[in-house]
Amino acid sequence: MRGHGATEQSRAAEIVDGLQAVMARQGYEAASVAEVARAAGLTTGLVHYHFGSKQEILLALTERLGEAIEARLRAKLAKAQDPRAKLEAALDVHLARGQGDPAALACWVAIGAEAIRQPEVREAYSAVLQRRQELLSSLLREALRELGRPTRGARAGAAGLSAAIEGYFQLAAAAPGLVPAGSAARSAKQMLGGLLGA
């Protein structure tokens, strides 16, 4: 991203907003720079001034979505008392009904698809998922220790929880009628109960 001052940062944020709005409606491939500029209320020249390519805007959006979910996680985890409650709070932040932004969710799923095709996007997407998985693994290890159970399966268990989260995201974005309302967080918590031996 180019530009450094407050105005430049504000314009860059507007461009990322524009990509999110367009992408949520029609996906990344069909989101032209001209449409992103129109959605941001800017000229295509300003878009090109701030970002060297559409991919750069996508990378900025990936970072923003990751930071937003991590901020919500930190706020929710600060209120939880013990490792299991923190794990359940983490699942709620990702999956509880009414917690997500449909446009952000649609974009996140599209970013996952682009991560298959674009190595730079894969790196940014994987970094967000890695941070989530490390957090889940650490919390799961703590919860197992508290229960006096072996912790050797914490990493694999965290991967399973992360896969469940991403799977629910995919279904919610691509085939929303398949998931009964309010069931995602509940089902993931049942999975957590199995991991904890409860």
Side-chain angles (χ1 to χ4, degrees):
M1 184 175 68
R2 302 171 190 161
H4 300 291
T7 303
E8 283 88 359
Q9 288 176 343
S10 173
R11 287 233 172 96
E14 290 169 356
I15 294 164
V16 175
D17 288 343
L19 177 61
Q20 180 171 323
V22 175
M23 232 174 113
R25 286 192 312 268
Q26 60 197 48
Y28 175 74
E29 194 63 35
S32 69
V33 171
E35 286 175 308
V36 171
R38 202 168 19 261
L42 302 170
T43 66
T44 55
L46 273 172
V47 172
H48 287 298
Y49 171 77
H50 289 284
F51 293 94
S53 66
K54 187 170 84 165
Q55 185 192 66
E56 281 187 21
I57 310 170
L58 182 64
L59 293 171
L61 177 58
T62 304
E63 184 178 323
R64 178 201 283 174
L65 293 176
E67 288 172 354
I69 195 78
E70 288 164 12
R72 285 175 44 214
L73 262 172
R74 282 191 298 274
K76 194 90 164 173
L77 293 180
K79 297 175 185 173
Q81 300 299 315
D82 58 72
R84 183 180 183 135
K86 288 182 179 187
L87 280 161
E88 290 182 352
L91 293 173
D92 281 339
V93 164
H94 287 91
L95 299 174
R97 192 171 182 188
Q99 291 295 305
D101 169 1
L105 178 63
C107 288
W108 185 252
V109 170
I111 289 166
E114 287 305 312
I116 296 168
R117 299 176 10 165
Q118 300 184 46
E120 297 87 352
V121 177
R122 182 180 313 124
E123 186 177 331
Y125 177 75
S126 295
V128 174
L129 294 181
Q130 181 69 35
R131 290 193 300 271
R132 179 210 294 156
Q133 200 157 312
E134 285 171 4
L135 172 68
L136 291 173
S137 183
S138 171
L139 292 173
L140 192 50
R141 204 172 290 112
E142 283 180 52
L144 288 165
R145 261 193 225 106
E146 197 172 79
L147 292 167
R149 294 197 164 86
T151 61
R152 64 183 169 273
R155 189 164 180 249
L161 291 172
S162 193
I165 290 167
E166 288 302 305
Y168 276 119
F169 285 173
Q170 178 75 33
L171 288 175
L178 290 181
V179 180
S183 69
R186 188 171 56 250
S187 296
K189 287 177 187 177
Q190 288 170 344
M191 182 179 174
L192 172 62
L195 290 168
L196 295 176

